[in-house]
């Protein structure tokens, strides 16, 4: 069952628009009321002057949700963004893993057992003599291994891990940008589809009124059955458009819930992002996707050095302390301490390391090419978004002009139809053109706001910091500083 969109609560000047065939006996100004409500819907949603738009199928609250508030909510609680943050924290742990190559590895071991022993000595004719008993071997020891030189592999592993962290931070920034843009789109889609649904319902009411008047004129012999059928057909088509608008609004509400985390209630008009936009096309180096690609190149080039390091000599120290007892006598034990410096020089390993080195170099070349691909993609996105923004501004102007002209035309057609100079179909067509113009204006205004944020995203500036959102800022460096120098510990910094 359809739920009516509530009144928007703002009064504008009375819009004078005569009914198709003059005044109606039951309501002297039904068409004026319908047109006034349609215009009020557009002005309230799109001018950004005052008030809020209530969403159909939802619970209506007193305070209006603003676009910055919705973005702040998505920034703080969106599961996709929180998952990317968790992924970054996992990448942070690569640095202490790499640093472990500088640190000693210590292990302890102990053993205990029992052994049965029997010995015999050849005797005389009467047999042999011998001894029997049990041994309880046991021991314990501790060993330390310390790498002194490993062909700079540890150093390059640490630098690789740091590059991976920097790249993951930029990937998080890119995810944040995409999430905020999705939130803007979801917010504006709900506003757009709410207004379109209201316009379509207005149109159904107006066509109902027009059909009633056409039937009265048919009964009076002023029009033919064809005029009645045309009005009925247009009304049926309008009702189908209401059903389509309801379905679109339901889908937009579901997307809003997915991105922002709550069902929309009362939404305020969404302002464009003009004040944060650059005056001209900026350099693209600050875009997080490009920065992430550059860090990927650094990590790939360092990986080449890591593999090459396997061909270098390695030097290590091993030290141990052990105590063993293998006999029955109490206190009969041996203690040993050892210290060994071991030099290993690889001579030939079958060519496997050489192949992996060449492979790593090709991968590094691939990463360098991918940087250019990313630059081209970002450049194309900026130019496209910039052009789309300019186009939406022109579309708004054109739609406003179209509405004014369509209103004048509809008024004229209605007056001419009242004196028999226009047909019912011409009135219906003029009314449909006005409805289309109003829908075009709603859509263009939505596109205008979304395009401004699209430009901001394309140039790499769509972030909670730039928008000054009222939400706790996520510090990607904090977790890194907490874990990079940890030698031991199973718990994460947040206590898990």
């Amino acid at each position: 069952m359809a739920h009516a969109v509530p009144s928007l609560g703002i009064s504008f000047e009375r819009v004078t628009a005569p009914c198709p065939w003059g005044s109606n006996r039951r309501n002297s100004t039904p068409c004026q009321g319908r047109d006034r409500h349609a215009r009020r819907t557009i002005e309230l949603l799109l001018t950004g002057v005052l008030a809020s738009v209530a969403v159909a199928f939802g619970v209506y609250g007193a305070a209006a949700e603003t676009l910055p508030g919705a973005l702040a909510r998505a920034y703080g609680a969106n599961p996709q963004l929180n998952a990317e943050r968790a992924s970054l924290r996992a990448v942070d742990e690569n640095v202490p893993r790499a640093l472990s190559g500088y640190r000693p590895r210590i292990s302890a071991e102990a053993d205990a057992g029992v052994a049965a022993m029997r010995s015999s000595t050849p005797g005389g004719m009467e047999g042999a003599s011998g001894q029997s008993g049990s041994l309880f071997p046991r021991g314990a020891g501790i060993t330390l291994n310390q790498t002194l030189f490993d062909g700079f592999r540890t150093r390059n592993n640490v630098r690789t891990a740091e590059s991976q962290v920097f790249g993951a931070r930029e990937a998080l920034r890119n995810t944040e940008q995409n999430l905020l843009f999705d939130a803007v789109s979801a917010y504006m889609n709900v506003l757009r589809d709410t207004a379109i649904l209201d316009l379509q319902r207005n149109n159904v009411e107006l066509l109902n009124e027009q059909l009633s008047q056409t039937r009265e004129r048919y009964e009076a012999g002023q029009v033919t059955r064809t005029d009645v059928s045309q009005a009925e057909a247009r009304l049926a088509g309008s009702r189908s458009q209401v059903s389509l608008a309801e379905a679109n609004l339901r889908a937009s509400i579901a997307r809003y819930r997915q991105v922002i985390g709550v069902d929309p209630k009362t939404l305020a008009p969404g302002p464009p992002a003009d004040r944060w936009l650059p005056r001209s096309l900026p350099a693209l180096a600050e875009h997080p996707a490009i920065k992430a690609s550059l860090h990927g190149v650094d990590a790939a080039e360092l990986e080449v050095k890591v593999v090459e390091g396997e061909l270098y000599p390695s030097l290590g120290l091993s030290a141990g302390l052990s105590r063993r007892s293998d006999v029955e006598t109490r206190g009969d034990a041996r203690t040993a301490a050892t210290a060994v410096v071991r030099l290993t020089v690889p001579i030939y390993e079958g060519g496997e390391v050489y192949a992996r080195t060449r492979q790593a170099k090709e991968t590094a070349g691939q990463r360098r090419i991918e940087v250019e691909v990313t630059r081209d993609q970002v450049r194309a996105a900026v130019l496209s978004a910039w052009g789309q923004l300019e186009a939406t501004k022109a579309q708004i102007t054109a739609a406003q002009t179209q509405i004014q002209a369509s209103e004048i035309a509809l008024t004229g057609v209605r007056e001419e139809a009242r004196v028999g100079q226009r047909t019912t179909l011409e009135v219906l067509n003029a009314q449909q053109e006005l409805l289309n113009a109003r829908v075009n204006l709603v859509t263009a205004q939505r596109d205008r706001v979304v395009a401004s944020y699209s430009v901001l995203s394309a140039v790499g500036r769509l972030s909670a910091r730039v928008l000054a959102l009222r939400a706790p800022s996520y510090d990607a460096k904090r977790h890194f500083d907490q874990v990079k120098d940890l030698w031991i510990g199973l718990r994460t910094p947040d206590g898990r």
Side-chain angles (χ1 to χ4, degrees):
M1 185 173 104
H3 300 271
V5 174
S7 172
L8 301 178
I10 298 297
S11 297
F12 292 89
E13 286 188 15
R14 182 186 180 99
V15 180
T16 58
C19 291
W21 316 110
S23 62
N24 183 281
R25 290 191 299 270
R26 291 169 294 175
N27 185 349
S28 60
T29 58
C31 300
Q32 293 175 12
R34 303 293 179 263
D35 281 352
R36 181 168 63 251
H37 185 57
R39 177 175 291 183
R40 185 172 63 199
T41 299
I42 298 176
E43 292 183 355
L44 184 61
L45 175 69
L46 302 174
T47 58
V49 175
L50 185 61
S52 62
V53 177
V55 180
F57 319 116
V59 179
Y60 307 103
E65 175 80 280
T66 63
L67 180 55
L71 295 181
R73 190 189 300 274
Y75 177 80
N78 182 268
Q80 179 184 357
L81 187 56
N82 285 333
E84 191 68 22
R85 290 165 179 165
S87 176
L88 172 59
R89 292 193 294 271
V91 174
D92 287 342
E93 297 290 351
N94 287 339
V95 174
R97 285 182 61 187
L99 287 170
S100 68
Y102 288 127
R103 299 165 186 164
R105 298 180 181 272
I106 304 173
S107 61
E109 61 180 19
D111 64 84
V114 60
M117 181 185 68
R118 179 179 180 82
S119 62
S120 61
T121 302
M125 295 295 295
E126 296 181 356
S129 64
Q131 291 182 329
S132 64
S134 298
L135 297 179
F136 300 93
R138 57 194 179 274
I142 186 170
T143 304
L144 177 147
N145 293 302
Q146 174 65 58
T147 300
L148 303 178
F149 178 75
D150 63 355
F152 306 108
R153 278 179 288 171
T154 297
R155 184 184 69 178
N156 290 321
N157 275 327
V158 172
R159 294 171 62 191
T160 300
E162 290 174 343
S163 293
Q164 291 171 345
V165 169
F166 297 147
R169 288 179 186 175
E170 297 302 327
L172 175 61
R173 281 185 57 211
N174 202 46
T175 301
E176 176 186 327
Q177 283 206 143
N178 295 336
L179 182 275
L180 292 176
F181 180 73
D182 288 345
V184 170
S185 298
Y187 187 99
M188 295 306 301
N189 287 349
V190 171
L191 287 178
R192 177 200 61 195
D193 293 342
T194 300
I196 290 176
L197 176 58
D198 201 27
L199 289 172
Q200 294 292 354
R201 286 175 174 169
N202 265 342
N203 193 48
V204 168
E205 294 176 6
L206 190 58
L207 289 173
N208 260 323
E209 199 68 47
Q210 185 164 328
L211 175 59
S212 176
Q213 296 174 15
T214 303
R215 284 171 175 167
E216 291 177 2
R217 296 196 71 200
Y218 170 70
E219 292 172 359
Q222 298 176 4
V223 297
T224 66
R225 179 61 187 170
T226 301
D227 295 275
V228 176
S229 298
Q230 288 172 340
E232 289 174 344
R234 192 60 59 91
L235 177 59
S238 181
R239 285 173 176 164
S240 72
Q241 290 302 309
V242 169
S243 298
L244 178 60
E246 288 177 346
N248 291 338
L249 180 55
R250 289 181 186 275
S252 294
I253 290 174
R255 178 61 176 165
Y256 185 102
R257 177 67 176 81
Q258 177 187 358
V259 175
I260 297 178
V262 296
D263 289 323
K265 295 181 181 178
T266 303
L267 305 185
D274 292 349
R275 65 174 179 162
W276 297 295
L277 296 181
R279 297 185 179 275
S280 59
L281 292 178
L284 305 178
E286 65 179 286
H287 196 283
I290 295 177
K291 287 187 174 182
S293 296
L294 291 173
H295 288 304
V297 171
D298 293 339
E301 291 177 344
L302 288 166
E303 186 63 28
V304 174
K305 296 181 180 180
V306 170
V307 179
E308 286 180 343
E310 297 181 24
L311 298 174
Y312 298 164
S314 60
L315 184 66
L317 169 67
S318 296
L321 178 65
S322 63
R323 183 177 177 83
R324 287 208 64 82
S325 175
D326 293 323
V327 296
E328 254 181 322
T329 307
R330 183 181 299 274
D332 186 6
R334 297 183 298 276
T335 300
T338 60
V340 178
V341 176
R342 181 176 290 105
L343 175 66
T344 302
V345 180
I347 297 176
Y348 184 66
E349 34 51 60
E352 190 265 347
V353 174
Y354 298 101
R356 285 196 290 117
T357 301
R358 296 191 301 270
Q359 184 182 51
K361 289 180 178 180
E362 294 294 346
T363 301
Q366 177 188 353
R367 297 292 177 265
R368 284 190 288 269
I369 295 172
E370 288 174 349
V371 171
E372 298 306 316
V373 172
T374 303
R375 281 199 180 102
D376 291 340
Q377 292 174 340
V378 171
R379 185 180 297 107
V382 170
L383 294 174
S384 175
W386 199 278
Q388 184 65 28
L389 178 60
E390 296 301 318
T392 56
K393 294 177 181 178
Q395 289 170 356
I396 290 173
T397 302
Q400 290 170 339
T401 303
Q402 184 183 7
I403 287 176
Q404 293 173 357
S406 296
E407 287 175 344
I408 295 172
L410 178 58
T411 300
V413 170
R414 282 172 173 171
E415 289 293 338
E416 293 169 1
R418 190 164 58 89
V419 296
Q421 296 180 356
R422 294 283 186 172
T423 65
T424 300
L425 181 59
E426 289 175 305
V427 175
L428 293 172
N429 288 340
Q431 185 175 316
Q432 184 65 42
E433 288 180 4
L434 177 58
L435 174 64
N436 293 342
R438 287 170 172 168
V439 171
N440 289 341
L441 180 57
V442 169
T443 303
Q445 288 281 15
R446 175 265 178 198
D447 293 344
R448 162 80 171 84
V449 175
V450 173
S452 67
Y453 283 92
S454 178
V455 172
L456 200 62
S457 174
V459 299
R461 298 182 185 177
L462 182 55
S463 65
R465 180 183 59 81
V466 171
L467 300 179
L469 299 180
R470 293 183 178 179
S473 178
Y474 182 78
D475 184 3
K477 189 174 181 294
R478 179 181 177 185
H479 180 267
F480 176 80
D481 292 337
Q482 291 173 331
V483 302
K484 68 176 181 179
D485 293 323
L486 288 181
W487 283 52
I488 59 173
L490 297 177
R491 290 187 176 274
T492 60
D494 61 2
R496 287 174 294 159

